[in-house]
Amino acid sequence: MDLGISGKRALVCASSKGLGRGCAEALAAEGVNLVMNARGADALESAAAAIRAAHGVDVVTVAADITTEDGRAKVLAAAGDVDILVNNAGGPPPGMWTDWNRDDFIAALDANMLTPIALIKALVPGMMERGWGRVVNITSQSVKSPIPVLGLSNSARAGLTGYVAGTSRQVAGKGVVINNLLPGIHDTDRATSLDGGVAKAEGISMEDARKKRHATIPAGRYGTAQEFGAACAFLCSQHAGFIVGQNLLLDGGAVNTTL
Ligand code: NAP
């Protein structure tokens, strides 16, 4: 299927590795020129070089922390007008509900709620003026089914989801669609770090921690960044113009709900 977005320009935040990288790769494979971001310059440059070589698209890189005002200013200055925005950043650390204080919540809200909102506010008005735009926010399955040790993530991502539900309906009439992608467990560094935490807490091997988690997923495996990226590219495509304010769960069936 031709997604009809060749020649468009996308900002993909937090994209040197993992799910963000999967989205960048899938968009590049459709001929989309990219602005890629991450904090670490080395991994970012090597991801950008690999994407340029594989897909022949233009890739601008900005090494910056997207969760800071200064970082966002640098990214936005380099990005200019974009047609597609993929919001992503690292997730908050796990812990117990008794662990978190006000500063921890502010940091989580800054990273996983207020940063995507700031980027939407900066870039969507231009998309509306030009009459076309796509925004995909990478959130989490924890929006539909809370993960108790990720209380900071549950809270911040629920806040973003509420904002998107209303805002997406205010901008859809100008050709801009905003949707959320909700990853379940995918095989990335984030999953390795969460599995490491479980292995340590339960005194089991990393392999056993993974096996335990596979058993909770009807698909019997973790998702891949490639399949996540393909779903993202579809939501950024010409075919997704009537999909407004939705929350698409990519979790191998792990969240046991009818709707
Ligand atoms: P990952 O493999 O750890 O990759 C994170 C990427 O984001 C890296 O490129 C990292 O590069 C960049 N990054 C992190 N913090 C950043 C920041 N402040 N500014 C700019 N770039 C930043 O993580 P992932 O698994 O792809 O997860 C992506 C998001 O999905 C996270 O919010 C995570 O919580 C959520 N999620 C993941 C899963 C899963 O199973 N993987 C499940 C549910 C939700 P630098 O470190 O160099 O900045």
Side-chain angles (χ1 to χ4, degrees):
M1 183 192 283
D2 177 4
L3 297 188
I5 48 177
S6 182
K8 300 274 189 202
R9 183 174 166 85
L11 166 58
V12 187
C13 302
S15 54
S16 65
K17 297 177 189 167
L19 304 181
R21 166 96 186 247
C23 296
E25 290 269 2
L27 289 168
E30 294 299 320
V32 174
N33 298 310
L34 299 175
V35 181
M36 291 176 67
N37 151 258
R39 291 163 304 179
D42 290 351
L44 180 62
E45 290 309 329
S46 83
I51 288 176
R52 282 185 202 107
H55 305 293
V57 295
D58 293 339
V59 183
V60 172
T61 55
V62 189
D65 184 339
I66 198 68
T67 68
T68 66
E69 213 170 316
D70 184 48
R72 282 192 296 280
K74 279 189 192 138
V75 169
L76 287 169
D81 289 338
V82 298
D83 310 294
I84 294 168
L85 165 64
V86 180
N87 273 316
N88 185 31
M96 277 295 287
W97 63 275
T98 43
D99 293 344
W100 305 309
N101 59 31
R102 179 181 161 79
D103 288 345
D104 298 318
F105 276 99
I106 298 294
L109 292 172
D110 262 340
N112 298 113
M113 178 183 170
L114 299 175
T115 289
I117 290 174
L119 292 170
I120 286 170
K121 285 182 69 181
L123 294 171
V124 165
M127 296 178 191
M128 291 169 77
E129 264 173 48
R130 295 187 295 278
W132 196 95
R134 300 286 184 261
V135 179
V136 171
N137 302 297
I138 300 180
T139 65
S140 171
Q141 72 175 19
S142 69
V143 170
K144 292 232 182 205
S145 173
I147 301 170
V149 293
L150 292 179
L152 293 172
S153 171
N154 298 338
S155 309
R157 297 187 196 281
L160 175 64
T161 304
Y163 174 84
V164 167
T167 304
S168 60
R169 284 155 172 102
Q170 291 177 305
V171 304
K174 298 286 184 194
V176 180
V177 299
I178 311 180
N179 291 290
N180 302 318
L181 273 181
L182 283 55
I185 297 302
H186 284 70
D187 204 356
T188 68
D189 291 354
R190 168 80 170 168
T192 303
S193 127
L194 291 176
D195 286 342
V198 170
K200 200 172 156 199
E202 297 187 14
I204 57 176
S205 70
M206 190 73 174
E207 203 191 345
D208 284 344
R210 287 210 148 203
K211 270 195 199 146
K212 255 181 100 172
R213 193 122 71 143
H214 281 180
T216 67
I217 304 169
R221 64 174 178 89
Y222 289 180
T224 68
Q226 289 76 13
E227 55 199 350
F228 189 89
C232 176
F234 181 79
L235 285 181
C236 295
S237 76
Q238 295 294 354
H239 311 297
F242 208 52
I243 304 176
V244 173
Q246 297 302 300
N247 291 281
L248 178 62
L249 196 51
L250 298 177
D251 70 340
V255 174
N256 193 31
T257 55
T258 303
L259 290 174

